[in-house]
């Protein structure tokens, strides 16, 4: 979401996103290595810095017409911890929203419920676009984001007729994503 706003994407499609990244990366000791891998060891970035990262970008770009497609469940823990506040801030920022609300209990169920929403959302985003060639897309997210673009029978065996994945990145370094480019 942050990166989509940063580059001025027309649409951002997300499944059960973590809004307060600092909280998410420090809620259990097992994530310490991921946290340090994303922000660096001994860094000046704090939990509160990461928690404000996306919120600040949302309000910085307030009024832009980036369409947000957000899938979530009101019954699993990330809704109260992240998604309710995200939706509130997106609405306050005046962003167009398409919400896909479900009531599954475990966050892992995103893997089942998000891919159909992603497919429907991509069709809406591409509506009116003349299909001369396969659409190139980039995925910046988690394995749940990438599973839609898996050609096994379980996921989406015919996705290559419509989309070409030109870039995929998972568990990205926040330093890399938020640093302005520089040239040597």
């Amino acid at each position: 979401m942050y990166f989509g706003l940063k580059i001025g994407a027309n649409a951002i499609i997300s499944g059960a996103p973590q809004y307060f990244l600092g909280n998410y990366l420090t809620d259990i000791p097992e994530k310490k290595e991921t946290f340090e891998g994303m922000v660096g060891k001994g860094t000046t970035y704090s939990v509160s810095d990461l928690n404000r990262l996306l919120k600040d970008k949302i309000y910085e770009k307030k009024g832009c017409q980036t369409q947000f497609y957000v899938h979530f469940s009101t019954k699993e823990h990330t809704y109260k911890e992240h998604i309710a506040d995200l939706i509130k801030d997106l609405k306050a920022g005046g962003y167009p929203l398409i919400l896909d609300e479900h009531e599954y209990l475990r966050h892992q169920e995103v893997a089942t419920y998000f891919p159909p929403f992603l497919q429907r959302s991509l069709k809406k985003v591409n509506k009116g676009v003349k299909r001369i060639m396969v659409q190139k897309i980039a995925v910046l997210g988690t394995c749940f984001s990438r599973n839609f673009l898996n050609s096994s029978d379980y996921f989406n065996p015919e996705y290559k007729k419509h989309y070409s994945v030109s870039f995929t990145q998972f568990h990205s370094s926040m330093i890399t994503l938020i640093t302005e480019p520089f040239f040597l």
Side-chain angles (χ1 to χ4, degrees):
M1 293 179 146
Y2 174 88
F3 193 65
L5 285 170
K6 184 174 179 174
I7 65 169
N10 292 328
I12 296 171
I13 306 168
S14 183
Q18 284 78 37
Y19 187 40
F20 299 112
L21 190 57
N23 291 350
Y24 171 72
L25 291 173
T26 57
D27 63 353
I28 58 174
E30 291 81 4
K31 293 181 188 173
K32 182 179 181 185
E33 188 175 323
T34 301
F35 176 77
E36 290 176 347
M38 290 176 79
V39 300
K41 288 187 180 185
T43 182
T44 58
Y45 290 104
S46 68
V47 170
S48 61
D49 290 332
L50 291 181
N51 283 346
R52 286 192 321 270
L53 189 67
L54 181 53
K55 183 175 191 142
D56 289 350
K57 187 59 72 179
I58 286 170
Y59 283 98
E60 173 188 318
K61 300 286 187 173
K62 188 175 181 177
C64 84
Q65 290 303 301
T66 298
Q67 174 84 50
F68 278 84
Y69 296 79
V70 183
H71 165 85
F72 60 95
S73 168
T74 57
K75 301 290 183 183
E76 62 106 352
H77 71 95
T78 62
Y79 180 74
K80 288 181 182 174
E81 294 170 9
H82 299 276
I83 298 165
D85 288 322
L86 170 65
I87 291 169
K88 180 184 72 139
D89 288 339
L90 288 171
K91 286 180 178 180
Y95 293 91
L97 286 171
I98 303 291
L99 302 176
D100 185 47
E101 181 178 321
H102 289 267
E103 294 187 346
Y104 51 85
L105 301 176
R106 297 173 328 144
H107 184 70
Q108 293 83 346
E109 292 177 89
V110 171
T112 300
Y113 292 94
F114 179 64
F117 173 68
L118 180 57
Q119 286 179 314
R120 290 190 312 273
S121 300
L122 285 169
K123 285 179 184 175
K124 287 179 185 177
V125 168
N126 288 327
K127 188 175 183 181
V129 174
K130 290 187 178 181
R131 291 262 180 188
I132 299 170
M133 57 191 308
V134 171
Q135 297 293 309
K136 290 183 181 180
I137 62 172
V139 178
L140 179 68
T142 69
C143 53
F144 297 132
S145 304
R146 181 68 173 97
N147 283 343
F148 161 71
L149 301 164
N150 180 327
S151 58
S152 72
D153 288 339
Y154 180 76
F155 290 104
N156 193 3
E158 297 184 7
Y159 90 87
K160 290 181 182 179
K161 289 182 181 178
H162 308 285
Y163 304 102
S164 169
V165 181
S166 59
F167 175 80
T168 303
Q169 184 170 343
F170 305 113
H171 306 290
S172 309
S173 160
M174 290 309 300
I175 293 170
T176 302
L177 293 175
I178 64 174
T179 301
E180 294 299 323
F182 68 93
F183 302 95
L184 299 175

